[in-house]
Amino acid sequence: MLSAMGETSVPLAPEIESQVREGFALHGFMRHLGATLTLLRPGFCEVRVPFSEALTQHHGYFHAGVSAAIADTACGCAAYTLMSPGSSLLSVEYKINLLAPARGTELIARARVVRSGKTLKVCAADVFGFEGAETLCATTLSTIMEIPGRPDRA
Amino acid sequence: MLSAMGETSVPLAPEIESQVREGFALHGFMRHLGATLTLLRPGFCEVRVPFSEALTQHHGYFHAGVSAAIADTACGCAAYTLMSPGSSLLSVEYKINLLAPARGTELIARARVVRSGKTLKVCAADVFGFEGAETLCATTLSTIMEIPGRPDRA
Amino acid sequence: MLSAMGETSVPLAPEIESQVREGFALHGFMRHLGATLTLLRPGFCEVRVPFSEALTQHHGYFHAGVSAAIADTACGCAAYTLMSPGSSLLSVEYKINLLAPARGTELIARARVVRSGKTLKVCAADVFGFEGAETLCATTLSTIMEIPGRPDRA
Amino acid sequence: MLSAMGETSVPLAPEIESQVREGFALHGFMRHLGATLTLLRPGFCEVRVPFSEALTQHHGYFHAGVSAAIADTACGCAAYTLMSPGSSLLSVEYKINLLAPARGTELIARARVVRSGKTLKVCAADVFGFEGAETLCATTLSTIMEIPGRPDRA
């Protein structure tokens, strides 16, 4: 129902793709989770993380914090693809609903930009546990601010 | 302004304290973050995590996912202190506002139960970066469900 | 991207349809807004409200409170279609992102159930301003609790 | 626990007070609800609305939409008191947790600015039902954007 701006088959300009991937690589926390950026389109991003004991909550499933972290990062990368050159991004806030146990061999976050304003970008992400098939386990809604004239890195 | 139920000087019953601490110890993800449960009172919980490169975002500060994960866990533990015996808890949803860069040598989440219903417990948490002094860097509002007759572990 | 359960062409059982419509009619506030329930399907609901000076904010558009109120009510009615007989519903929480000025001759909220659990139902709604064409002006994510054995009215 | 910036005894500069009150008066929807702005301090605002059949949900209590609308407006007015001259404000998003039935002769929203950034102001509000005594019935967290160089009215 949300007006989708993402997951088109349109490929991303190669220089933007490499900028977003470089940005992702700077997140020590994504490495610590074992997460990888697996798909990038204009206004769309997918992040995946394989299961590990290190990522569990008390029932042995993925911790909600893992779902939230990859959803938030996927939203940031989806917004990044629509950002003006020379800007940088800041997560303002997000909300996550946990819908089912995050179980499986892999956790997959897919984010898309719902509205791309000049200053604020609103993104939605879904998180799926993969165990033979995908099960929706969380959904998020987030706000990201674009800060002009302040590139992400020197 | 929120009607506070937490951070009283009233100590927690020792058997509840050890149950909550055992529950916390079951979170592989908290270990992976290097987080420790540093304070527990009826309806209140504090969790701390020291800085490490492994927990950073692209500017080198704590990743928002770390703030969210320890805030969510602290809320869960705060709710746990008010739970009926033999129940277990499930995070339903939360919202986080990121207020300032999460920088410093340590990140501190303090959570308290705002309303303790029979089925739903609503909690608020604040997250502070510590760098000589504490700076508020995030605030959350979360909903936790109590599931009766299903203890957390066998 | 969200796994949709709603807006199917499957019609709703007539006795459920009339129960939900009776429930809607009990909301004095919906009457006060001039809102009508315009479409009901299993897991889906649409609510509309025509423009009036009485519903404006300081720029003369629909007040965000109107968007939120019809989105929340549409979510409740969508959840109601999937509720067990003899239960009643309670709004637990929601989050709304305001995406564009809510302007036009009419405001339209469309809600669908994202996940229908036994106790909790999670719903998403979009709100559109109609001015010749529809413009997405808000999106929400909400949690609704089903309370068994307590019918909505005597 | 939230670092409070509001509800001090410091009075507001009279010209700011009258600007905020004029802004409030422009909300046709507040009039339609019968809401009044009852207290204004730097970073703090209180809004009250008396009970009426027109504001009810299906159990005869205040509709959640009324709680949300006055909380959102109180947040906006609290943010307004800290705004730069010549700017205007826009609600970006908010989240509300409904904690108890909103019953009583009056509904009271108290909002304060949690963080006042140059572009974004984050506010928290609590809503109380008054029935001899105050009962906390909702709590919100919201984000408001300041738009420089665009006064609210000509």
Side-chain angles (χ1 to χ4, degrees), chain B residues 1-3 7 44 93 95 97 99-100 110-112 114-115 122 126 128 136 139-143, chain D residues 1-3 7 44 93 95 97 99-100 110-112 114-115 122 126 128 136 139-143:
Chain B
M1 266 171 65
L2 296 170
S3 76
E7 196 169 13
F44 177 84
E93 60 84 35
K95 182 236 206 291
N97 267 75
L99 306 171
R110 295 197 186 100
R112 80 212 146 73
V114 174
R115 184 175 185 271
V122 177
D126 288 327
F128 302 88
L136 180 66
T139 189
T140 75
L141 206 49
S142 69
T143 310
Chain D
M1 265 173 67
L2 296 171
S3 77
E7 196 169 15
F44 177 84
E93 60 84 36
K95 181 234 205 295
N97 267 74
L99 306 172
R110 293 195 187 102
R112 80 210 144 75
V114 174
R115 184 175 185 272
V122 177
D126 289 327
F128 303 87
L136 181 66
T139 189
T140 75
L141 205 49
S142 70
T143 309

Side-chain angles (χ1 to χ4, degrees), chain C residues 29-60:
Chain C
F29 191 45
M30 287 299 109
R31 250 191 331 274
H32 195 50
L33 297 180
T36 47
L37 197 169
T38 45
L39 192 56
L40 212 49
R41 294 275 181 279
F44 178 84
C45 177
E46 184 189 84
V47 172
R48 290 173 180 250
V49 57
F51 181 79
S52 126
E53 271 298 324
L55 306 181
T56 55
Q57 34 85 288
H58 54 308
H59 295 118

